[in-house]
Amino acid sequence: GESVGLHLPTLSVQEGDNSIINCAYSNSASDYFIWYKQESGKGPQFIIDIRSNMDKRQGQRVTVLLNKTVKHLSLQIAATQPGDSAVYFCAESGHQAGTALIFGKGTTLSVSS
Amino acid sequence: DSGVTQTPKHLITATGQRVTLRCSPRSGDLSVYWYQQSLDQGLQFLIQYYNGEERAKGNILERFSAQQFPDLHSELNLSSLELGDSALYFCASSVEGRPSNSPLHFGNGTRLTVT
């Protein structure tokens, strides 16, 4: 069935380190993937997305990598800052009409200074 | 600020009651999505509307219903409330009808507490 999961529920890093948050998905029909950041008391905030015809996409301090062979998605955050502390969710969707955006359970990133 | 407005921010009610959560999408967005987030859980998709019509349905209970009005705001109605319905309810909006065509932008949620 459709499911999106994450490898680790928590990740602790030092300020300035690079962070890598991983996500595994199971629906091979999914062709759109997206990362969200959720800070305490707020709704999820869009970070970056990628389509299945790409394997890498870069934003400001963030990079998303997609490996369709092993159904794996990762979010890399460069020079992690205390403000990056939040819960990170990956989500997937297919292209078909009526397809929802399905979220995984999230990884809590804690950045210590 | 995502531009998606949800009211109320907090709601406390008793079991068996009915409540209505309201969502105003971003200006220009035609799709509205509802998600439920329980403690320590991810976001569970409930339902999506596009330009007034139901577009996709997820794990929405029969006690729950939603609609999108001509002005594109949406309401989620929760009835016969149970303790387990306590959660954060998020609304999101997007320009187009498929999540893969335009990212979802989320409001800050309504925290529902059922006592």
Side-chain angles (χ1 to χ4, degrees):
Chain A
E2 295 182 14
S3 68
V4 176
L6 292 169
H7 291 297
L8 291 175
T10 61
L11 177 65
S12 296
V13 300
Q14 293 285 325
E15 182 178 2
D17 286 352
N18 295 331
S19 302
I20 300 176
I21 301 172
N22 295 305
C23 175
Y25 66 95
S26 60
N27 188 353
S28 57
S30 293
D31 63 356
Y32 175 73
F33 304 88
I34 189 167
W35 283 98
Y36 281 91
K37 171 187 180 183
Q38 186 177 21
E39 297 175 287
S40 180
K42 295 186 178 180
Q45 177 185 0
F46 170 80
I47 302 174
I48 192 168
D49 58 0
I50 188 168
R51 299 191 184 280
S52 59
N53 61 352
M54 304 172 68
D55 54 19
K56 180 179 180 179
R57 192 170 185 214
Q58 288 185 292
Q60 188 174 14
R61 281 201 308 118
V62 295
T63 300
V64 55
L65 298 177
L66 175 63
N67 185 329
K68 295 179 289 293
T69 302
V70 295
K71 298 192 186 72
H72 184 266
L73 187 70
S74 68
L75 176 70
Q76 300 179 1
I77 305 173
T80 313
Q81 303 167 1
D84 295 326
S85 295
V87 180
Y88 290 81
F89 294 94
C90 67
E92 62 170 331
S93 180
H95 189 68
Q96 303 86 350
T99 302
L101 188 66
I102 304 300
F103 282 77
K105 288 195 174 184
T107 290
T108 299
L109 176 65
S110 298
V111 183
S112 53
S113 55
Chain B
D1 183 10
S2 68
V4 178
T5 304
Q6 290 189 247
T7 57
K9 291 184 179 179
H10 302 277
L11 199 49
I12 301 175
T13 190
T15 54
Q17 295 298 306
R18 171 190 168 94
V19 297
T20 298
L21 313 183
R22 183 187 168 102
C23 170
S24 294
R26 293 188 320 162
S27 177
D29 284 1
L30 298 178
S31 267
V32 170
Y33 303 77
W34 287 98
Y35 283 82
Q36 179 193 57
Q37 186 176 40
S38 301
L39 191 63
D40 296 331
Q41 294 293 313
L43 291 106
Q44 300 296 316
F45 171 67
L46 297 179
I47 198 164
Q48 177 205 356
Y49 283 83
Y50 176 74
N51 205 20
E53 295 193 358
E54 183 181 306
R55 177 61 66 98
K57 207 166 187 175
N59 300 319
I60 187 166
L61 300 173
E62 287 191 8
R63 300 183 285 109
F64 296 0
S65 65
Q67 60 184 128
Q68 185 180 28
F69 294 87
D71 67 353
L72 301 178
H73 91 272
S74 178
E75 292 181 356
L76 178 66
N77 300 297
L78 315 176
S79 62
S80 302
L81 285 167
E82 303 175 358
L83 295 177
D85 297 327
S86 295
L88 273 167
Y89 291 85
F90 286 103
C91 169
S93 72
S94 67
V95 174
E96 300 193 24
R98 297 179 185 177
S100 58
N101 287 351
S102 55
L104 276 62
H105 297 271
F106 283 80
N108 284 328
T110 292
R111 181 175 292 280
L112 174 66
T113 302
V114 183
T115 62

